[in-house]
Amino acid sequence: MSPSATSDLPISPSPFRPRILVPEKVSADGLALLTDLYEVDIRTGLAPDELISLIPSYQALIVRSETKVTAAVLQAGRKLKVVARAGVGVDNIDVSAATAQGIIVVNSPSGNIVAAAEHTVALLLATARNVGRADGTLKSGKWERARLVGVEVGRKTLGIIGLGKVGMKVARMAIGLGMKVISMDPYASPDLARQAGVALVEKLGDLLPVVDFLTIHTPLLASTLNLLGEAEFQTMKPTARVLNVARGGVYNEDALLKALDEGWIVGAGIDVFTAEPPAPDSSAARLAAHPKVVATPHLGASTVEAQENVSMDVCAQVLEILRGGLPTAAVNAPLILPEEYRKLQPFVRLVERMGSLYTQHFVGGKGGMIGGRRFELVYQGELAGVGNTRPLFAALVKGLVSSISDSGGRDVNIVNATLIAKEKGIIINETHIRESEGLVYASLVTLRSYGTAGEHGDGQKTQVIDGYVSGRNIYISKLDRFAANFTPEGTLVVLHNYDEPGKIGSVGMVLGKHGVNIRFMHVASLDPETKLELARTQSETASESGVSQDKENGNGNRDPANEALMILGVDGGVTKEVLDDLGKPEGILNVSLVRL
C-alpha cells in the first residue's frame, strides 16, 4: 500500500533536525520515510513518567495501542506538532487535549481493513466449528469429536453493526461464503449497501432476533459503549454467536458472560477487551477463559501486511505535517479523502499564496493591519462542491500570518487555524457558489477583505484577490481593482502607477542600477467593472459642474481610469533603497515587495 499523504513540497534536509519519538514497535518500512530527514528515536517500554520527561524535546510522537498519550503528556510536549496512531483506534490518545493545544492527531483508517475483516471471518468460522475447544482438548490428550459438532455458515444470517470499510469488507466475504447479510448503520449509504447485497435495518430490535452471527465494527464512543447489554442478548436466538474485532466495551462484558452462562447465546469470538491484557479475575479475564469463547489477544491488525500498511500511512502523514503539508486522516479535523486531497492540494497552495500576498501587498505595502478585519473566501464552480474546505481555511490563516510571525506560519495547521485566527482578531467566512455560468475557469477562488473606508489611505473599503488553478499551476487573476494573470511565486515587486509612456523603461533602469534582474513583467489594468464605475462617476461630476473634471490624486491631474499595476518577478536583493528609488518618479502611487 502506498503512503496516503502526498505533496509537491520539495524535500530538503535542514540543519535543525526535528525529533520523532517512537515508544512502540512500528514497522521499519514506514520509519525509513523519516530517518533521512529527522532524528527518529525508538524507545520502547517507557513508563508514563519517563514519557512525560522525554516528550518536551520532540516534534512528533508515533504510537500504537499500548502508549497512553494523556493530557499530561501532551501538555509536556511543548514542541509537539503531531501524534500519530499506527492503527485505527485512538482510545489511548486524549484527542480533546491535543486539539486544545493545536496538535494534530492522525491515524490509519484503511491500513488494516483487510486484516481486521479476515480475522473477523476467522473467528466466525472458529466459533461455528468449535475450533478453539477442539484444539485445546486434543492437545490435552482428549478425543471429543462427538461433543464438538459445529454448524455450517452457508445460508445463515450475519448481522453487522457498523457498515464502514471493515464492516463492508466482512459483508462481502460473508456473502462469498453463502451467508445472508443484514446491517444496522444510520450513516451507511443505502445505494452502496444495496449494490453489495446487504439489507439495511433501522433499529437493533429489527436485527438482533433474526441473526445467527453478529459482528460489530464501530468506534468506541459514548453512544456505542455497552451497546449490547443483558436486554439485547435476551432478544437473540439461543443458537446465535457474537464476534468482536473492533473495540472492547461495545459488548458489556458482564452481560456477555451472563448471556453465555444462561444460554441466551451459544458462543462468542472475542479479539478485544476493555483492559488489555485482561486483569486477573476481571470480567475480561473470565470472558477470555470461558469455554464457549474463542479468544485472541487483539490480533485483528496483526498481519505483516497490515503493520507495514499502517506504518507507511502514518509515517507519510508525519512527514507531510512536519514539512507544512496536509495529513489525509486527521482524527481531530475532517477526514481528507485521497480524491479530495488531490483536488484540494493545488488550491491549498493558491489560497495560502493569496493570504500571503494580501498581507504583504495591502498591509505591508500600505501600512494597514489584518487584525479586526473580516475576510471572505468565495469558492465558485467545481470547487464549491467540495464539502471539506477546512484545509483551505487553514491555508488562508497560514498565508495571512506567515510574513508577520516568528515561525513563518509553520505552526498553523488544520486543527489550530481557527484558534490562531481568533487570537489575531481575524474573522473568516466561507461562501460556496456552485453556479458556473459566465465563469471562465472550472473553479475560481475569491478572497475579499472588508474594513473601514480609508483604512489604508486609498479610500478602499474592500480589497479583492481572485485566483484559479490550471493543471498543477496556480495563478492570480485579479488583484484589488486590477485584472491580472500571473503566478504568485518568488520575489515580486508590485507598483501601483499611472499607465503612461516611459514607466516601464524607468522601472527597468532603477532595477538595473541596483543589479536586480527582471524574470517577468505583467501589467494589470483596471478591470472592466471598475472602469465603468469610474466613467459613470466622472460623467456625473462633469454634469454637475458643467465642465470636464479630472480627479486629483497627489501626482498632478490624472485620469484614475489610467491607473495600473506593474507586477515584476525579480531575482536579486530588493532593499529599502531599491523600493524608495522605484517610488520616486512622478506617477508612481505605491510600491510593495512580496516574497512568496
Side-chain angles (χ1 to χ4, degrees):
M1 177 179 176
S2 60
S4 62
T6 57
S7 174
D8 294 330
L9 298 174
I11 298 178
S12 56
S14 167
F16 170 70
R17 286 166 60 90
R19 302 180 69 191
I20 301 170
L21 180 61
V22 187
E24 299 184 57
K25 185 178 179 181
V26 175
S27 173
D29 289 344
L31 296 178
L33 296 173
L34 304 168
T35 51
D36 287 344
L37 291 172
Y38 307 114
E39 185 178 335
V40 179
D41 294 339
I42 302 174
R43 303 282 296 271
T44 58
L46 291 176
D49 57 339
E50 291 177 309
L51 178 60
I52 290 175
S53 66
L54 286 173
I55 200 63
S57 300
Y58 293 89
Q59 282 75 28
L61 175 65
I62 302 175
V63 301
R64 291 180 64 188
S65 58
E66 294 181 8
T67 302
K68 306 303 179 186
V69 187
T70 62
V73 172
L74 294 164
Q75 187 173 5
R78 295 181 294 273
K79 296 181 181 179
L80 274 179
K81 297 181 183 299
V82 55
V83 175
R85 162 71 164 96
V88 180
V90 290
D91 309 1
N92 56 319
I93 301 171
D94 191 329
V95 177
S96 297
T99 303
Q101 294 181 219
I103 300 170
I104 299 178
V105 179
V106 301
N107 68 345
S108 177
S110 59
N112 57 14
I113 290 173
V114 173
E118 287 184 351
H119 197 64
T120 302
V121 174
L123 289 180
L124 184 151
L125 293 170
T127 58
R129 301 304 296 270
N130 300 310
V131 172
R133 291 167 61 191
D135 179 70
T137 56
L138 189 58
K139 281 183 168 61
S140 65
K142 299 176 183 178
W143 188 267
E144 298 185 346
R145 183 182 180 193
R147 294 181 55 199
L148 299 172
V149 176
V151 296
E152 296 177 4
V153 300
R155 299 180 300 281
K156 298 296 192 302
T157 299
L158 171 65
I160 301 177
I161 299 175
L163 198 63
K165 293 180 179 179
V166 176
M168 183 62 80
K169 189 73 174 177
V170 171
R172 292 190 172 110
M173 291 179 174
I175 290 171
L177 292 172
M179 302 185 77
K180 176 185 176 182
V181 180
I182 60 176
S183 176
M184 188 198 81
D185 186 338
Y187 306 106
S189 164
D191 289 338
L192 289 178
R194 191 181 309 110
Q195 292 171 18
V198 179
L200 286 178
V201 297
E202 294 183 1
K203 303 188 297 291
L204 271 179
D206 298 329
L207 182 78
L208 298 179
V210 299
V211 300
D212 301 294
F213 295 85
L214 176 69
T215 182
I216 297 182
H217 298 284
T218 68
L220 186 62
L221 307 170
S223 59
T224 60
L225 179 64
N226 296 323
L227 184 63
L228 266 73
E230 290 187 16
E232 287 75 24
F233 285 122
Q234 290 184 66
T235 67
M236 299 183 71
K237 295 180 180 180
T239 56
R241 295 163 171 85
V242 299
L243 313 166
N244 191 5
V245 187
R247 284 286 172 265
V250 178
Y251 296 114
N252 181 287
E253 290 175 339
D254 290 327
L256 179 54
L257 278 169
K258 188 171 183 179
L260 293 166
D261 290 337
E262 297 291 333
W264 298 340
I265 60 174
V266 75
I270 306 296
D271 184 51
V272 289
F273 303 89
T274 52
E276 296 180 354
D281 299 323
S282 65
S283 296
R286 292 196 300 274
L287 196 59
H290 200 285
K292 293 182 180 179
V293 174
V294 177
T296 54
H298 202 148
L299 298 180
S302 294
T303 66
V304 172
E305 296 85 354
Q307 294 306 306
E308 291 175 351
N309 288 345
V310 297
S311 176
M312 292 286 287
D313 192 355
V314 299
C315 288
Q317 293 188 73
V318 168
L319 174 67
E320 191 66 17
I321 291 166
L322 293 182
R323 291 161 57 192
L326 296 174
T328 56
V331 174
N332 48 354
L335 177 67
I336 306 169
L337 300 174
E339 57 271 21
E340 286 182 333
Y341 186 90
R342 287 189 292 271
K343 181 181 292 186
L344 282 180
Q345 186 63 17
F347 287 100
V348 167
R349 289 191 292 120
L350 172 64
V351 171
E352 182 181 338
R353 298 283 175 85
M354 291 169 72
S356 186
L357 175 61
Y358 174 85
T359 299
Q360 295 183 67
H361 177 62
F362 289 112
V363 179
K366 298 184 180 181
M369 57 189 296
I370 61 171
R373 290 189 68 83
R374 180 167 61 89
F375 294 88
E376 182 182 19
L377 269 177
V378 183
Y379 313 119
Q380 297 183 66
E382 294 178 0
L383 186 62
V386 175
N388 175 19
T389 55
R390 182 81 168 268
L392 299 178
F393 181 99
L396 177 59
V397 175
K398 182 176 181 179
L400 288 172
V401 305
S402 61
S403 62
I404 57 174
S405 69
D406 294 335
S407 65
R410 291 185 299 275
D411 57 339
V412 180
N413 56 56
I414 57 177
V415 175
N416 66 10
T418 302
L419 293 174
I420 290 178
K422 186 176 181 180
E423 290 172 358
K424 301 290 185 184
I426 302 169
I427 300 171
I428 301 174
N429 296 314
E430 295 178 283
T431 302
H432 296 247
I433 302 176
R434 295 177 183 249
E435 293 78 8
S436 58
E437 184 177 350
L439 198 63
V440 177
Y441 316 104
S443 297
L444 182 70
V445 181
T446 297
L447 171 63
R448 292 195 181 101
S449 173
Y450 303 93
T452 57
E455 177 184 346
H456 296 285
D458 58 4
Q460 292 299 308
K461 183 178 180 180
T462 304
Q463 292 89 37
V464 177
I465 302 176
D466 284 352
Y468 68 97
V469 171
S470 178
R472 302 295 294 180
N473 298 317
I474 60 177
Y475 299 92
I476 299 299
S477 56
K478 184 176 182 181
L479 182 55
D480 201 15
R481 300 170 294 145
F482 302 91
N485 191 33
F486 66 95
T487 300
E489 65 180 18
T491 300
L492 305 177
V493 175
V494 182
L495 295 96
H496 182 191
N497 59 275
Y498 286 102
D499 191 8
E500 298 170 341
K503 282 289 183 293
I504 295 175
S506 64
V507 167
M509 288 180 64
V510 171
L511 293 176
K513 182 180 73 172
H514 289 280
V516 178
N517 181 56
I518 300 176
R519 291 187 293 107
F520 74 84
M521 182 190 71
H522 175 73
V523 175
S525 59
L526 289 169
D527 65 79
E529 184 178 340
T530 300
K531 285 184 177 180
L532 284 174
E533 180 63 29
L534 286 171
R536 184 163 47 249
T537 301
Q538 289 179 343
S539 176
E540 292 173 355
T541 302
S543 176
E544 291 173 1
S545 63
V547 294
S548 177
Q549 297 288 324
D550 289 325
K551 187 176 180 180
E552 178 75 26
N553 204 329
N555 284 273
N557 291 326
R558 288 186 168 89
D559 185 355
N562 286 335
E563 291 181 26
L565 291 183
M566 192 185 306
I567 302 158
L568 305 169
V570 299
D571 293 322
V574 181
T575 63
K576 184 178 184 301
E577 183 183 2
V578 175
L579 297 179
D580 289 343
D581 284 352
L582 286 172
K584 287 178 180 177
E586 187 179 336
I588 301 294
L589 301 174
N590 186 72
V591 181
S592 62
L593 176 65
V594 177
R595 291 188 173 95
L596 300 172

